[in-house]
Amino acid sequence: MLYPDNVRMSMVLPDVVGFKLLGIRDGVTTTDLVLIVTKMLRKHGVVGDGVGKIPLADRATISNMSLEYDATMWLFPVDEVMIEYVRFHLCRHVKRVNLGSIY
């Protein structure tokens, strides 16, 4: 549907937090970088416990579509929802599932 120039539309836009990575100094690992970025995002309230409220199927969709928004990948933490899914689908590998839940 095309809107004429004189019609106003309103949208709620989320706050955006961005990073400009210029390189990594010698002696700094990518793990260090990720931990620092995560710490900075936590200060902004971007990283939190809300992931547990996202159904597993939606997490898979977000992960699978990461290329659509120019991300190389998207990772979700291992939680009880994911462990139950793995336990249900890979029940023959109980020791591996238990090891993953311990980790």
Side-chain angles (χ1 to χ4, degrees), residues 44-62:
H44 283 283
V46 175
V47 178
D49 297 327
V51 171
K53 298 175 186 172
I54 301 173
L56 191 63
D58 292 343
R59 297 181 203 182
T61 301
I62 292 168

Side-chain angles (χ1 to χ4, degrees), residues 17-82:
V17 178
F19 290 90
K20 184 175 183 179
L21 180 60
L22 301 175
I24 299 178
R25 295 181 184 153
D26 289 339
V28 177
T29 67
T30 52
T31 303
D32 296 330
L33 173 68
V34 170
L35 293 173
I36 290 168
V37 168
T38 303
K39 182 178 178 181
M40 295 169 81
L41 290 173
R42 284 185 196 277
K43 285 184 181 178
H44 283 283
V46 175
V47 178
D49 297 327
V51 171
K53 298 175 186 172
I54 301 173
L56 191 63
D58 292 343
R59 297 181 203 182
T61 301
I62 292 168
S63 295
N64 288 334
M65 294 188 68
S66 62
L67 292 175
E68 299 296 327
Y69 47 86
D70 291 332
T72 305
M73 65 181 169
W74 184 287
L75 298 176
F76 286 98
V78 175
D79 63 0
E80 194 57 37
V81 174
M82 197 279 300

Side-chain angles (χ1 to χ4, degrees), residues 77-90:
V78 175
D79 63 0
E80 194 57 37
V81 174
M82 197 279 300
I83 293 293
E84 285 304 314
Y85 175 86
V86 172
R87 198 172 271 137
F88 178 77
H89 289 284
L90 300 174

